Amino acid sequence: MAINIKTWLEQFFNAYTENPSQPSNPVSEDLFSLGDIAFDIATTDEINKTLPPLLKKLEAQLSQSFSADEQCRLKIVFSSPSTAETFVHHPSDSTPHSKILHALHRFFTNGHNDLIHDTLYLDALSNHCFPEPLYGYKLTESKEMNIWLLAIFPNKVPSANQVRWKLTAVENALKKGFSAWAQQEKKISKAVTSERAIHAAELHDSLAQVLGYLRIKSAKLDSLCQSNTYHELKPVTEDLAAYTHYAYRQTRELITSSRLSMKGDNLTQAISDSVSEFEQQSAIVFEYDNRLKKNITSPKQSMQLLYIVRECLSNIVRHSHATHARIVIKETLSTQIEIFIEDNGIGLDTKNARNDSFGLKIMHERAERIDARLLIQPHPNQGTQVILTLKVGDNHE
Amino acid sequence: MNLLKWPQSVFNKDNSFNLDDSNLHETLFNSLGDVVMIIDQNHRISLVNTCWEKITGVAASSSHNLLFTDFLHPEDVKIWNDIIRKVFNSHGSELVWFRIISADGNIHWCEMRVQQLRPNEHYPLSATLCDITPQIRNEQIRNASHRSLQSLVNRLPAMLYRSRNNTSWSMEYVSSGCKELTGLSSEELINQPQISYGELIHEEDAGYVWNQVQFCLQTQQVFELQYRLNQANGKCITVKEKGRGLYSESGMILGVEGFVFQFE
């Protein structure tokens, strides 16, 4: 029997919130709207846009339960242990002070022992010296993302029991909402990956094989037309062979794109994984030097950068005859990163480059797509140096 | 504090030391081939000797009050924070390796020994630091060479082995190719009394294999064999093997080395 997920979730949350066995507390009078909130979270496509108005609504509700001097401000923290990133969601009209944001980022990315518990209390006197006292409740936990509800009390701080009692219904509704949202996100991500894998397999089995065959045949035709007898055909067959090869290379690239996936769009980790993969295929000493303090490239930029870096690594392993290779990523300005890929090999012979070599052309195309500057030049000492310069958003703080 | 001031003379006229002379301590401090430093509670450099400049390219006098973590590779700041916690917990001295980025942007691998300057106070910390970049580079080259050989051997569509000369052919080393050949992993085959390569050899061929190998070992020849092998899943395949003995200088047989591959 087919059932619409939205309908099902609506029924599920309504049933949950209408349960008469729930403990009564100051916010339980408006349980129906808490059910709506959980439902909104569970079904949202854009969590960033959904949370600010929702938190505002919750704060307004809670203001009735706390006294006037116990001002409760809510934040929801998404913390990704694998990428060391922290996202703080807050009501749109109350942007937290940068001190609080930095303190939260430090606390949630440093792997404190406190995070193994489901509740937190932090203030200026605690080890972590929080500027404003806060209570924290863990909403969901996974390898990719931990989500916390934070209740910050800039003025008078109520006791832990009092806060817990007043926030239980909110906490439970959010737990339900985020748990369903996380499952939904996981399903979408799985579906996208599997769709990509199907496309890759189809491309590999059909188009790439036909193009591979055409590539060999057109190359043979071209070599036969090199003799004087067919000199008039020569320009045509040369073009034909070159473009067939180009189409073949682009198809192979598409297959690679479909197969390549990045965990959490984390470029630096993906490059590190690629370096480990390529170093298994050679005796070259690879040195990976990532000086970025955090991940600041967009998913689109990260993907194109990863392809370019992988093409460079592949060239180093296949053609460079190098013994050492170095990959350095650094932030040269607050809005610019540079990636250096260097080797001490025989260098790039641009004058005698093969006509059928499209790797460099594809690298340039990929760089253009993200407005990056790609420079391929002889290394001042020996070998080849590739420098990729990319502007990144300045709002990554 | 003047860190770089070089004393006029720390020696007496008869070339003996004047141990009370404070210049002597400074001369000694700055003559050391390792960095010696004191770091305060804000992780700023309170005191450092001149060797610091050799590693960082920044003069010791200019480094006073600079954040020590600003010299660390961003990925290694966590290592530093962890080691500080360890020092506070153990109240002893801890050893740590990390990367320092010098003024010219180059990386220097360093080994630091760090401890509390005074027994009952967390800060300041005292530390010695030495540049171990050449050792790390050599290790990287050795690792790359080992990794390359290892992956070559393990990717070969054959099983390379070194075994003892007994009827079980108990293995000291087998390459990863053994999984495809026998159905057993290298961990299952190496030095295991329960499972041995000898037991996988077809019953009717085991005698021939033993006799052929023994004959070649005695005559110090390379042996070449073809026999049947029962895989772990019960399937019987034909394999080819080529190998030779390992001998001591006196000619004693120490073991057997060779390779086996499936013969279609």
Side-chain angles (χ1 to χ4, degrees):
Chain A
M1 186 181 70
I3 184 163
N4 181 315
I5 180 85
K6 278 204 171 195
T7 320
W8 178 81
L9 283 168
E10 198 161 17
Q11 286 166 359
F12 175 77
F13 286 116
N14 285 344
Y16 159 72
T17 49
E18 280 161 16
N19 184 347
S21 66
Q22 286 300 309
S24 92
N25 63 40
V27 276
S28 64
E29 293 158 20
D30 203 4
L31 279 177
F32 182 74
S33 65
L34 281 181
D36 283 352
I37 283 168
F39 175 71
D40 286 348
I41 294 174
T43 55
T44 183
D45 292 332
E46 290 182 282
I47 199 85
N48 297 347
K49 287 188 181 164
T50 309
L51 287 180
L54 191 146
L55 287 171
K56 196 177 174 185
K57 204 169 157 186
L58 281 174
E59 277 185 2
Q61 267 191 17
L62 287 168
S63 66
Q64 295 161 15
S65 350
F66 290 103
S67 65
D69 50 350
E70 294 169 339
Q71 213 184 354
C72 175
R73 288 187 190 144
L74 295 180
K75 311 268 174 283
I76 288 186
V77 170
F78 284 43
S79 139
S80 164
S82 58
T83 61
E85 285 172 319
T86 313
F87 303 93
V88 181
H89 297 274
H90 52 82
S92 42
D93 58 350
S94 65
T95 309
H97 194 275
S98 63
K99 260 188 185 175
I100 298 195
L101 289 178
H102 283 121
L104 287 173
H105 178 66
R106 267 201 309 276
F107 179 77
F108 282 98
T109 51
N110 279 357
H112 291 295
N113 290 338
D114 320 42
L115 293 173
I116 57 167
H117 304 294
D118 287 343
T119 56
L120 287 175
Y121 176 71
L122 304 167
D123 63 9
L125 301 173
S126 69
N127 279 340
H128 313 295
C129 303
F130 261 75
E132 290 178 352
L134 67 85
Y135 290 97
Y137 307 98
K138 197 186 278 174
L139 299 174
T140 68
E141 187 177 17
S142 70
K143 273 183 199 165
E144 295 82 27
M145 190 72 78
N146 296 328
I147 304 178
W148 285 78
L149 167 68
L150 303 183
I152 301 182
F153 293 93
N155 304 325
K156 193 182 165 193
V157 188
S159 73
N161 284 343
Q162 212 182 349
V163 176
R164 192 76 205 245
W165 177 65
K166 288 176 179 172
L167 283 182
T168 301
V170 173
E171 189 193 333
N172 286 340
L174 290 176
K175 267 186 184 168
K176 290 274 178 191
F178 278 114
S179 158
W181 174 78
Q183 280 182 31
Q184 188 69 0
E185 290 287 300
K186 218 173 174 177
K187 275 185 194 164
I188 292 170
S189 155
K190 210 174 161 186
V192 170
T193 314
S194 116
E195 186 76 6
R196 277 188 187 164
I198 292 168
H199 283 157
E202 278 174 5
L203 278 172
H204 186 260
D205 292 345
S206 54
L207 197 56
Q209 294 211 1
V210 174
L211 281 173
Y213 176 77
L214 285 177
R215 185 172 69 102
I216 295 166
K217 289 291 174 190
S218 57
K220 193 167 182 186
L221 179 67
D222 183 40
S223 74
L224 288 172
C225 291
Q226 295 297 319
S227 70
N228 285 336
T229 328
Y230 304 108
H231 72 279
E232 281 178 4
L233 292 175
K234 214 173 123 186
V236 181
T237 56
E238 265 176 12
D239 256 16
L240 190 67
Y243 278 95
T244 316
H245 191 123
Y246 187 40
Y248 174 76
R249 272 303 302 260
Q250 290 229 332
T251 313
R252 305 252 25 133
E253 281 286 305
L254 274 175
I255 295 169
T256 316
S257 316
S258 313
R259 285 182 178 159
L260 212 59
S261 64
M262 265 192 292
K263 283 174 195 162
D265 299 318
N266 186 344
L267 173 71
T268 52
Q269 185 56 47
I271 293 181
S272 167
D273 292 347
S274 296
V275 170
S276 308
E277 177 193 330
F278 280 95
E279 71 181 2
Q280 290 303 319
Q281 322 295 331
S282 76
I284 299 170
V285 176
F286 282 94
E287 190 187 333
Y288 178 43
D289 177 2
N290 166 34
R291 298 185 190 177
L292 288 189
K293 288 179 182 150
K294 51 189 175 277
N295 199 25
I296 51 176
T297 49
S298 71
K300 185 186 165 193
Q301 290 173 327
S302 302
M303 215 58 190
Q304 298 298 347
L305 292 174
L306 180 63
Y307 295 137
I308 298 171
V309 171
R310 287 182 63 90
E311 183 68 28
C312 292
L313 295 177
S314 151
N315 285 338
I316 291 172
V317 171
R318 293 195 303 165
H319 307 302
S320 75
H321 297 225
T323 57
H324 281 74
R326 200 155 80 104
I327 300 96
V328 186
I329 309 180
K330 53 186 172 188
E331 205 171 332
T332 40
L333 299 167
S334 67
T335 56
Q336 180 177 295
I337 63 163
E338 277 190 338
I339 304 181
F340 294 81
I341 303 138
E342 305 168 332
D343 67 67
N344 66 346
I346 53 172
L348 197 68
D349 188 356
T350 42
K351 282 180 192 161
N352 296 321
R354 300 195 322 272
N355 289 333
D356 61 349
S357 169
F358 291 104
L360 299 183
K361 192 172 166 30
I362 293 173
M363 276 162 70
H364 278 287
E365 281 175 7
R366 287 194 178 281
E368 270 173 33
R369 275 185 227 166
I370 49 167
D371 289 329
R373 198 161 60 89
L374 177 68
L375 192 65
I376 303 169
Q377 60 188 19
H379 191 277
N381 299 329
Q382 186 195 341
T384 309
Q385 184 179 46
V386 177
I387 307 173
L388 250 170
T389 314
L390 175 76
K391 288 222 174 322
V392 288
D394 54 1
N395 55 347
H396 57 265
E397 267 297 320
Chain B
M1 183 177 298
N2 188 350
L3 298 167
L4 282 177
K5 190 181 166 191
W6 200 262
Q8 294 297 314
S9 172
V10 296
F11 302 109
N12 294 329
K13 279 183 183 167
D14 60 356
N15 239 7
S16 65
F17 295 118
N18 176 4
L19 292 176
D20 293 332
D21 188 344
S22 64
N23 286 337
L24 172 65
H25 300 138
E26 198 171 310
T27 307
L28 171 67
F29 185 58
N30 285 327
S31 72
L32 295 172
D34 287 348
V35 173
V36 181
M37 64 200 309
I38 295 177
I39 294 166
D40 73 11
Q41 71 271 26
N42 297 316
H43 294 196
R44 291 180 189 277
I45 300 168
S46 305
L47 179 69
V48 68
N49 65 350
T50 49
C51 185
W52 176 248
E53 190 173 350
K54 285 184 198 160
I55 296 180
T56 60
V58 181
S61 54
S62 317
S63 302
H64 179 61
N65 235 2
L66 294 185
L67 265 177
F68 176 68
T69 42
D70 282 351
F71 290 91
L72 288 179
H73 190 287
E75 286 189 326
D76 295 350
V77 173
K78 190 176 178 304
I79 299 177
W80 164 255
N81 289 332
D82 289 347
I83 205 73
I84 299 303
R85 268 197 287 274
K86 259 176 132 176
V87 168
F88 294 160
N89 289 338
S90 68
H91 298 288
S93 121
E94 297 289 340
L95 200 66
V96 61
W97 289 10
F98 47 59
R99 289 164 289 179
I100 278 189
I101 300 175
S102 60
D104 57 9
N106 285 328
I107 279 184
H108 292 262
W109 277 95
C110 292
E111 182 181 81
M112 179 185 253
R113 185 169 281 286
V114 60
Q115 53 275 308
Q116 294 166 196
L117 183 66
R118 299 184 190 95
N120 299 321
E121 291 172 25
H122 279 175
Y123 291 102
L125 297 161
S126 65
T128 49
L129 188 81
C130 65
D131 192 340
I132 52 165
T133 312
Q135 292 94 307
I136 294 283
R137 298 270 180 256
N138 285 337
E139 197 180 310
Q140 284 171 339
I141 294 169
R142 265 201 310 277
N143 287 345
S145 160
H146 181 255
R147 182 193 67 221
S148 165
L149 187 63
Q150 190 77 19
S151 46
L152 167 70
V153 165
N154 287 334
R155 272 196 296 262
L156 282 175
M159 179 182 93
L160 273 66
Y161 71 86
R162 181 185 298 135
S163 83
R164 295 191 180 86
N165 183 31
N166 57 31
T167 50
S168 300
W169 300 115
S170 26
M171 295 293 174
E172 275 178 36
Y173 168 81
V174 284
S175 65
S176 301
C178 71
K179 181 78 183 169
E180 205 180 322
L181 191 82
T182 66
L184 297 171
S185 67
S186 48
E187 292 78 24
E188 287 172 301
L189 269 178
I190 294 172
N191 290 329
Q192 293 290 343
Q194 302 89 344
I195 315 166
S196 71
Y197 185 76
E199 283 169 31
L200 299 176
I201 298 173
H202 194 284
E203 204 181 344
E204 291 171 15
D205 296 346
Y208 149 79
V209 170
W210 173 255
N211 293 333
Q212 279 294 106
V213 174
Q214 295 317 304
F215 174 75
C216 292
L217 290 181
Q218 296 307 325
T219 50
Q220 301 215 353
Q221 293 176 58
V222 171
F223 59 82
E224 204 169 338
L225 313 162
Q226 183 176 322
Y227 56 90
R228 286 165 293 172
L229 190 79
N230 294 317
Q231 290 182 311
N233 60 6
K235 192 181 163 194
C236 182
I237 56 166
T238 304
V239 297
K240 276 205 166 197
E241 178 172 343
K242 200 164 180 174
R244 68 188 321 156
L246 276 170
Y247 306 95
S248 69
E249 279 186 16
S250 59
M252 186 192 291
I253 301 161
L254 301 174
V256 187
E257 283 178 337
F259 59 94
V260 189
F261 59 95
Q262 186 168 0
F263 181 63
E264 302 298 343

